Amino acid sequence: FYTRQAPGAAIIVVMTRWSPDDLVGRLLDQANREPESDQWMVLHFPAIREEGEICESYTKHYQTTRQQR
């Protein structure tokens, strides 16, 4: 997909994690081992949350996005 990527474009991977060796696991492992490779921002949205619990990843991302506007 890199050959079709416009300059400055983002790559978004949306998936359910099934194993540490899945696509996301491999991408994150490579990013940790090789600092010059693509680095990834991880947003974690749990499928089930406890009553009254707030998803911190979403809240932090939302606040950062709102501040940039």
Side-chain angles (χ1 to χ4, degrees), residues 7-61:
I11 297 173
I12 300 173
V13 180
V14 178
M15 66 178 289
T16 299
R17 297 295 310 271
W18 292 101
S19 164
D21 195 37
D22 59 16
L23 172 64
V24 170
R26 290 178 181 220
L27 290 171
L28 294 174
D29 182 54
Q30 180 181 15
N32 286 331
R33 285 184 291 107
E34 303 171 18
E36 68 280 352
S37 69
D38 291 331
Q39 298 298 304
W40 299 90
M41 175 192 303
V42 177
L43 295 177
H44 176 104
F45 297 101
I48 300 173
R49 63 179 178 83
E50 298 298 323
E51 183 71 30
E53 183 180 53
I54 297 173
C55 180
E56 291 182 32
S57 295
Y58 174 77
T59 303
K60 288 177 186 174
H61 176 72

